[in-house]
Amino acid sequence: MDHHFPNPADQRYYNYPTTPSPEPLMDVNTIVDLLNSFGVPVCLSVVLLWFCKYQFDWARKEREAYAIREEEKDAKIISMVEKSSDALLSIKIAVEQLKQSVDQNSQVIRELIMRKGQ
């Protein structure tokens, strides 16, 4: 081929994109040398300590996110409680005014009955 591609899809087909391969953490020879020089128990202890630290860090991040979410929910609940207590207070005031009105009406009716009875 003369590397002339009239169709862009042909260029992708014939010239595969190259992506760099990820570098391995350690090659096998390095791991074997570490095991021979420090021993299996020490190497496993280091790996397990790293894993424990990884888990604790992950759990801490999860707890922080949970705490933020809970604070938002608590703020909403407090707002709802304040609104409902304001509503209950206004209902209490309205009921007291209604009670006073009923008491006044009862007093007026008693006075009217007294006058009619005379």
Side-chain angles (χ1 to χ4, degrees):
M1 282 194 158
D2 62 349
H3 298 287
H4 175 68
F5 303 107
N7 186 351
D10 291 340
Q11 184 178 8
R12 274 191 257 144
Y13 177 75
Y14 290 110
N15 296 326
Y16 295 108
T18 57
T19 56
S21 61
E23 296 181 20
L25 295 175
M26 286 191 219
D27 58 345
V28 176
N29 292 333
T30 307
I31 294 172
V32 170
D33 289 342
L34 285 173
L35 288 174
N36 285 334
S37 60
F38 293 111
V40 174
V42 172
C43 292
L44 284 178
S45 298
V46 169
V47 169
L48 291 175
L49 286 172
W50 172 83
F51 183 70
C52 288
K53 181 187 179 310
Y54 170 79
Q55 280 190 325
F56 282 126
D57 290 344
W58 178 77
R60 180 182 42 80
K61 289 178 186 175
E62 186 180 34
R63 283 191 308 268
E64 288 172 356
Y66 182 74
I68 290 170
R69 191 173 71 225
E70 287 300 312
E71 286 176 5
E72 291 172 357
K73 288 181 180 179
D74 289 346
K76 286 181 184 177
I77 289 173
I78 289 172
S79 171
M80 289 172 54
V81 166
E82 288 173 351
K83 288 178 183 176
S84 65
S85 65
D86 290 343
L88 288 174
L89 181 62
S90 64
I91 289 172
K92 179 183 175 187
I93 292 170
V95 167
E96 287 177 1
Q97 290 175 350
L98 184 62
K99 181 184 173 199
Q100 288 175 357
S101 296
V102 168
D103 288 343
Q104 288 175 356
N105 286 344
S106 297
Q107 184 65 31
V108 169
I109 291 174
R110 277 190 209 114
E111 290 175 6
L112 286 174
I113 290 174
M114 294 286 216
R115 286 185 192 167
K116 284 250 185 188
Q118 292 177 350

